[in-house]
Amino acid sequence: MTQSDQPVENLFELQNLSLMYGTVIGVNDLQLTLPKGAYALIGPNGAGKSTLIGLLTGALRPTLGNLKVLGENPRRCGQLQQRIGVCPATDLLIHGVTAHQWIVQLLRMSGWRKSEAIPRTDQVLEEVGLAEARNRPIHTYSLGMRQRCKLAQAIAHRPELLILDEPFNGLDPIGRYQMSELLIQWAKSGKSLLLASHVLHEVERITDSFMLIFGGRLLASGTAGELRRLLADLPQDIIVQSQTRDRLASLLAEKPWIRAVHRDAKPNRLILTVDRPLELYESLALWASSGQVSVERITGTDGDISTLFRLLISRHRGERAYQKSGASS
Amino acid sequence: MSAPTNTTIFSSLSRAVPGVVSYELARSMTLGRSAMFLLMVCIPTALLIAVAQLTPEEAKYTFDVSELNKDEIVVRAETNLAFSMLVYLLIPQVMTMLGMLVLASPIVHSELEGQTWVYSLVRHAGRRSLLLGKYIVAVLWTSTAGILAVSLATPFLPLKNPTQLWMTASLLCLLASLAYGALFALIGVVMQKRVMVISFVYALVAEGVLAWIPAVINQFTIAYRLRSILFRWLNLSVDQYFQNDGFVRNAMVAQDPSGWTQIASVLLIAGALLGLAVWLVEKVQYSFQSEL
């Protein structure tokens, strides 16, 4: 068999994958095939990201359906674990152990000889910027250092696929930047990556391929641009700051794409619920240029991922109207 | 240098288990663990010495009144039996069992609670090596404490053959550590909540009560096997207590003449329980939401 005849090894193959925690749905009927590459798994807390990671790593057994990771069933193939690195979301709370001791031990648990594990640990701690602190107990590290330590253990055994769950949690801006740089380098090196996060903009620098998960269901997938276009087509809340608030409100009230107009307690502010935001922007530009109204500021909810999820869920359920609780006209 | 991708589970385990053992040993050298070790050694030793000191001389020894030569002093048979049983009960039976309960029961649970279990899940020999490595460390700690306690106490006790008791009790400490460790590790693998409570109740009911009931059921306990080894190797006799009841006599101690069968039985029980625990730890699905 020549190389071209060999079947392409996908990163993930999920077929009707479901997992139930008793009567609670963890993930629901996931159907997905992805080639190797870097992906972000986006979803609010409790969406099913960690459960999906548990299934992909073989820690959890699906209730229904099948899955393959790098062509193997993670529950049945122990060798697959050599090809996966996992960085969990939970904080690293180990007392009385240095990062060096911990990673050497984990490498030996992966089947490495001590003579190989020690230099590799030195190398990987250097890569994540913990070389200076390698002999300090982990419990004395800052949160950012602990995150990097978790990343170090995940990449130490040179996996082909790196799975990270909320790697930016608790990091300060510098820590976020450093973590992003490390992950960008990883993705650039041609290795696969699955990055779970609840904040879209954090992962945009690292990958342009997204999967949106909510309520255990895969709602959408695509690039950031596609997701933003999707968001633009969906009803959303927009705040407009205007000196001519009342005039603007009366103009907007006539438009069919306006769902609700709310006068905010703050002066000169209108909160709008809009079906087609692009048409609002066009109209505002037209009215402002013709002097009918003044517009000082427009604040959208473009980056609010939870809004997008609510909207996608209501669309998924076939609901015609999206009602934001508390909104009034 | 590259990651070993095609290693068998056995070669992975042969590298992983020593790694876990050295890591856990280094990690366990804490003030708290050292204090626990000292207590494990000192409490039974102090109790044994205190009982020996409080026992009247005439209850301990048969004096040769005509000569009054110290070399002629002989320890009474019943005193020898009583102190041999006391050493066995306090050290291999109670201290070792409780030590293993504390150290082996939470092998999995402590990792789940500390949110470090997830790191072993994604290692080739992760779960199994963690279980075996921590089991070995628990056996090392407890059996060492037991042997040390026996070594410290024996010279102060009225015994016919202190060396023989020291050897037997030390062996029993090791055997008890191996068997109870495997038992509690298995309970820890199967139960994900209230592991210590369940282990304690099991120890109390099975090893504390059932093992001392003169019925067939006591043969399924580890204490029965350990007790039989003690009696055979020290040539102790239970006949004086159960002269009129052959059934009870036979039920309390195994009738194996050498004791080797009982040693093999204990090792077999330990091996079977540990093997089952190692098999199950790979199969059982542990709660994951708290880990990731």
Side-chain angles (χ1 to χ4, degrees):
Chain A
M1 185 188 279
T2 62
Q3 197 170 354
S4 59
D5 294 333
Q6 288 176 351
V8 178
E9 191 181 70
N10 284 315
L11 186 62
F12 304 124
E13 291 171 49
L14 316 182
Q15 294 176 337
N16 308 109
L17 190 71
S18 299
L19 185 136
M20 304 283 291
Y21 294 109
T23 55
V24 178
I25 297 171
V27 294
N28 190 0
D29 199 27
L30 298 185
Q31 189 86 26
L32 182 72
T33 300
L34 289 176
K36 291 181 179 176
Y39 301 92
L41 183 64
I42 308 291
N45 293 329
K49 301 188 298 291
S50 297
T51 300
L52 180 56
I53 289 175
L55 287 163
L56 295 174
T57 54
L60 297 177
R61 195 183 299 121
T63 312
L64 284 171
N66 298 303
L67 81 154
K68 283 186 177 177
V69 177
L70 297 168
E72 306 281 357
N73 182 336
R75 287 291 295 182
R76 295 197 186 134
C77 181
Q79 296 291 349
L80 179 64
Q81 288 158 341
Q82 308 282 44
R83 302 169 67 190
I84 302 176
V86 176
C87 183
T90 48
D91 197 4
L92 187 57
L93 303 167
I94 305 179
H95 278 255
V97 177
T98 67
H100 194 267
Q101 283 175 313
W102 185 57
I103 294 171
V104 165
Q105 189 242 172
L106 289 175
L107 277 174
R108 293 184 77 184
M109 281 168 88
S110 292
W112 286 55
R113 289 188 183 88
K114 190 179 178 182
S115 56
E116 291 174 343
I118 290 172
R120 174 60 186 151
T121 302
D122 290 332
Q123 190 184 6
V124 79
L125 287 173
E126 181 84 39
E127 281 174 31
V128 299
L130 286 177
E132 296 286 316
R134 66 191 206 119
N135 290 323
R136 256 176 62 191
I138 291 172
H139 69 266
T140 65
Y141 283 4
S142 66
L143 183 56
M145 291 167 87
R146 292 201 295 274
Q147 290 285 57
R148 279 183 279 156
C149 190
K150 279 173 17 186
L151 179 65
Q153 66 79 30
I155 62 175
H157 57 292
R158 297 200 176 93
E160 295 168 42
L161 164 64
L162 179 59
I163 299 175
L164 301 105
D165 196 0
E166 305 285 2
F168 300 101
N169 266 5
L171 292 181
D172 58 21
I174 296 170
R176 283 166 192 263
Y177 175 78
Q178 288 171 335
M179 181 64 81
S180 296
E181 287 300 306
L182 283 166
L183 297 178
I184 288 166
Q185 288 306 314
W186 178 271
K188 275 185 183 169
S189 70
K191 293 179 179 177
S192 295
L193 176 72
L194 178 67
L195 178 58
S197 176
H198 64 279
V199 187
L200 182 61
H201 67 81
E202 276 182 346
V203 293
E204 280 187 275
R205 282 189 66 216
I206 299 159
T207 178
D208 196 35
S209 300
F210 299 91
M211 292 178 285
L212 301 187
I213 188 170
F214 184 81
R217 280 187 175 275
L218 199 60
L219 297 180
S221 60
T223 63
E226 286 165 344
L227 294 183
R228 289 195 188 287
R229 276 197 292 279
L230 187 62
L231 188 64
D233 287 343
L234 292 166
Q236 55 186 276
D237 288 348
I238 292 167
I239 300 165
V240 180
Q241 186 96 22
S242 170
Q243 295 288 341
T244 56
R245 183 170 75 170
D246 294 341
R247 172 77 186 133
L248 181 59
S250 64
L251 283 170
L252 286 168
E254 294 168 5
K255 297 295 176 188
W257 33 262
I258 284 288
R259 190 168 296 236
V261 180
H262 174 72
R263 284 181 183 170
D264 196 31
K266 291 184 183 174
N268 303 329
R269 264 179 38 139
L270 280 177
I271 300 174
L272 313 173
T273 304
V274 186
D275 271 341
R276 295 195 293 278
L278 289 178
E279 293 198 29
L280 169 74
Y281 300 140
E282 283 172 12
S283 297
L284 286 176
L286 189 67
W287 294 334
S289 61
S290 63
Q292 294 183 72
V293 296
S294 70
V295 175
E296 280 80 46
R297 181 186 287 177
I298 302 172
T299 314
T301 52
D302 187 85
D304 186 352
I305 198 77
S306 56
T307 304
L308 175 59
F309 281 112
R310 282 203 301 273
L311 298 168
L312 286 171
I313 278 288
S314 58
R315 172 178 276 192
H316 179 78
R317 288 174 180 158
E319 293 169 8
R320 285 186 67 240
Y322 165 65
Q323 296 292 335
K324 184 182 181 295
S325 59
S328 60
S329 54
Chain B
M1 186 172 66
S2 61
T5 50
N6 290 315
T7 50
T8 64
I9 186 63
F10 295 106
S11 68
S12 286
L13 275 175
S14 69
R15 292 168 190 169
V17 174
V20 175
V21 170
S22 64
Y23 172 82
E24 289 295 330
L25 275 176
R27 203 179 160 195
S28 62
M29 296 298 173
T30 61
L31 205 63
R33 187 66 75 87
S34 304
M36 181 186 154
F37 182 82
L38 275 177
L39 284 176
M40 285 165 72
V41 174
C42 293
I43 290 176
T45 307
L47 277 173
L48 284 167
I49 294 173
V51 173
Q53 293 299 315
L54 293 170
T55 307
E57 293 291 300
E58 59 272 22
K60 290 188 214 169
Y61 309 111
T62 55
F63 291 90
D64 187 338
V65 244
S66 57
E67 297 288 329
L68 284 176
N69 184 343
K70 287 283 181 191
D71 297 336
E72 304 278 332
I73 294 172
V74 176
V75 176
R76 288 179 187 276
E78 58 270 30
T79 309
N80 184 58
L81 174 66
F83 274 92
S84 299
M85 279 301 287
L86 200 58
V87 169
Y88 159 74
L89 282 173
L90 279 176
I91 302 174
Q93 185 60 64
V94 175
M95 187 278 278
T96 307
M97 186 172 73
L98 291 180
M100 290 312 293
L101 190 152
V102 171
L103 296 176
S105 295
I107 283 179
V108 174
H109 190 251
S110 62
E111 296 287 326
L112 288 172
E113 207 173 55
Q115 299 178 334
T116 47
W117 181 245
V118 64
Y119 299 104
S120 58
L121 291 181
V122 287
R123 308 285 160 186
H124 187 211
R127 306 183 207 195
R128 286 175 278 210
S129 64
L130 194 73
L131 180 72
L132 287 171
K134 288 184 117 180
Y135 167 79
I136 290 169
V137 171
V139 168
L140 285 174
W141 269 94
T142 312
S143 58
T144 307
I147 292 167
L148 198 59
V150 171
S151 308
L152 290 171
T154 311
F156 301 98
L157 305 179
L159 298 163
K160 278 187 174 174
N161 191 342
T163 312
Q164 183 71 18
L165 179 78
W166 177 81
M167 285 174 61
T168 307
S170 298
L171 174 76
L172 289 177
C173 284
L174 184 61
L175 289 174
S177 300
L178 290 168
Y180 286 125
L183 173 70
F184 295 132
L186 177 62
I187 293 173
V189 165
V190 176
M191 302 291 168
Q192 293 185 36
K193 288 178 181 171
R194 303 180 192 281
V195 183
M196 298 275 269
V197 175
I198 294 165
S199 296
F200 183 76
V201 169
Y202 179 86
L204 196 68
V205 173
E207 301 295 325
V209 177
L210 294 182
W212 299 90
I213 293 174
V216 178
I217 196 163
N218 73 358
Q219 294 183 22
F220 295 99
T221 63
I222 295 161
Y224 171 83
R225 306 285 160 191
L226 298 175
R227 192 169 64 227
S228 300
I229 295 167
L230 177 84
F231 274 77
R232 290 289 160 252
W233 280 38
L234 291 180
N235 294 317
L236 299 175
S237 172
V238 287
D239 292 356
Q240 54 188 303
Y241 296 109
F242 306 111
Q243 279 170 359
N244 300 322
D245 195 333
F247 171 75
V248 172
R249 184 175 65 238
N250 293 340
M252 290 306 286
V253 177
Q255 297 308 300
D256 165 43
S258 68
W260 286 107
T261 311
Q262 302 312 317
I263 293 176
S265 300
V266 174
L267 293 175
L268 203 66
I269 290 168
L273 294 173
L274 190 62
L276 189 58
V278 168
W279 182 75
L280 279 175
V281 80
E282 198 68 21
K283 301 288 171 196
V284 173
Q285 181 173 290
Y286 294 95
S287 59
F288 198 67
Q289 288 292 11
S290 61
E291 295 152 30
L292 274 175

